Amino acid sequence: MKAAIFKEIEKPLSIENVKEPEIEQGEILLKVLASGLCHGDLHIIFGDWKTDVDVKTPIILGHEIIGQVMNDGKNVKKGDNVLVYNAFGCNECKYCKRGYPQYCDKVKILGVHENGGFAEYVKVPSEDNLVKVSGNPIDLAPLADAGLTAYSSVKDIEEGSNVALLGTGAVSMIALQILKLKNTKTTVVGRNYFKLSKMLELGADKVIVVKNNYSEDLSSKIGREKFDYIIDYVGSNETLKDVLWMIDRMGELRIVGEFGGEFTVPEQLMVLRGLRIKGVLYGTKKDLEELVKIFNEKKIKTLAVPYKLDEINMAIDDLLNERIIGRAVIIP
């Protein structure tokens, strides 16, 4: 089969013919229909996470997967189209039992710890992590990670809340659409004019163009306004700096992006305003199932931008240089 192989940090992926996966009892073989390209893939390719995430090379990346089932299981049959809920835990620890395998100490992610979706076929350890879907695979693929993370990041935000989104990537764009279903007031902050224009098209009440740095530009534009929630889809030093000062009493900062940021938390500010800080990693399988229902009702768009597998290094360059408005999706 054809696959894109990650061999060395800061080097292009190598398009090669490799052996198809061999499955054992209980495993499912998928013919990959599409696989989204995530900033997480870029973090791995460029070595940003080398001290935090154990990625053994050579490996096939791609963790946002939709595929066609090639062998019968108990609940899926050959020919079914499925999204992969890509957090395979031990099923025994307290996190797995509560439905959060992404926090399991032994979690395995296809495309990170084992071969993933930038190939013609992928092996799935358990059919329990598959969600049946129907429709255009290119549009469906981003639901498996970008959509799920977006849904998880906003799912319990109250109707009518005042929310600021930092960043204009695919996750933020999908999150905005879900927030608008809750009649929230939404401000989007970012540097890319074209992406901010798309955010207005998707329903943002206001966009703020960052010309210097996030905290200063945001603070100068909102005046005395405060937000109930600020959701940071970047997670850099720049986006996190002084952000807590712009959150209203009993408000919450949610951090989704993983660009290595650090920030100092003023203890008195936290106490006197009753502020909360929450990290958001992925979502639950139930979240994914609920998200698929919303998508099927045509309430959100995934904004997929297709590339062929042979074009994956072009897609990586386009994502790195912010030329993609939406989610790059790789098609074998």
Side-chain angles (χ1 to χ4, degrees), residues 144-199:
D145 182 10
L148 175 55
T149 302
Y151 182 85
S152 176
S153 72
V154 303
K155 68 176 182 179
D156 56 350
I157 288 179
E158 302 86 358
E159 293 268 342
S161 295
N162 189 12
V163 184
L165 308 181
L166 309 186
T168 54
V171 179
S172 183
M173 286 186 176
I174 297 173
L176 169 64
Q177 296 175 71
I178 299 170
L179 283 171
K180 298 316 293 182
L181 300 176
K182 301 169 177 279
N183 298 313
T184 60
K185 179 183 177 183
T186 311
T187 300
V188 181
V189 188
R191 292 188 179 279
N192 189 303
Y193 287 91
F194 298 103
K195 292 184 178 183
L196 288 170
S197 294
K198 188 65 177 180
M199 287 293 202

Side-chain angles (χ1 to χ4, degrees), residues 92-100:
E92 297 176 355
C93 69
K94 62 182 179 181
Y95 307 108
C96 287
K97 289 179 179 179
R98 290 165 55 192
Y100 299 96

Side-chain angles (χ1 to χ4, degrees), residues 46-60:
F46 291 96
D48 302 330
W49 291 350
K50 61 184 177 182
T51 59
D52 302 304
V53 180
D54 185 21
V55 179
K56 293 181 172 60
T57 57
I59 191 171
I60 302 170

Side-chain angles (χ1 to χ4, degrees), residues 30 33-34 65-69 75-77 79-85 129-144 288-296:
L30 297 184
L33 300 176
I65 305 166
I66 181 171
Q68 184 178 70
V69 176
N75 299 310
V76 296
K77 301 298 179 184
D80 288 343
N81 286 358
V82 293
L83 288 169
V84 179
Y85 174 73
N129 284 47
L130 301 179
V131 176
K132 293 181 187 179
V133 291
S134 61
N136 186 335
I138 297 172
D139 293 330
L140 284 160
L143 296 178
L288 181 57
E289 292 167 345
E290 292 174 353
L291 177 66
V292 169
K293 291 179 183 178
I294 294 173
F295 178 82
N296 288 339

Side-chain angles (χ1 to χ4, degrees), residues 166-167 189-192 208-219 230-246 253 255 257-264 322:
L166 309 186
V189 188
R191 292 188 179 279
N192 189 303
I208 294 176
V209 182
V210 176
K211 295 182 179 179
N212 297 306
N213 66 64
Y214 274 76
S215 60
E216 289 181 8
D217 288 354
L218 177 56
S219 179
I230 294 181
I231 311 177
D232 187 349
Y233 293 100
V234 182
S236 68
N237 286 334
E238 183 186 352
T239 56
L240 290 168
K241 182 183 178 183
D242 296 330
V243 71
L244 290 175
W245 293 96
M246 289 168 269
L253 169 65
I255 306 172
E258 297 178 76
F259 275 80
E262 297 180 0
F263 69 122
T264 301
E322 295 197 18

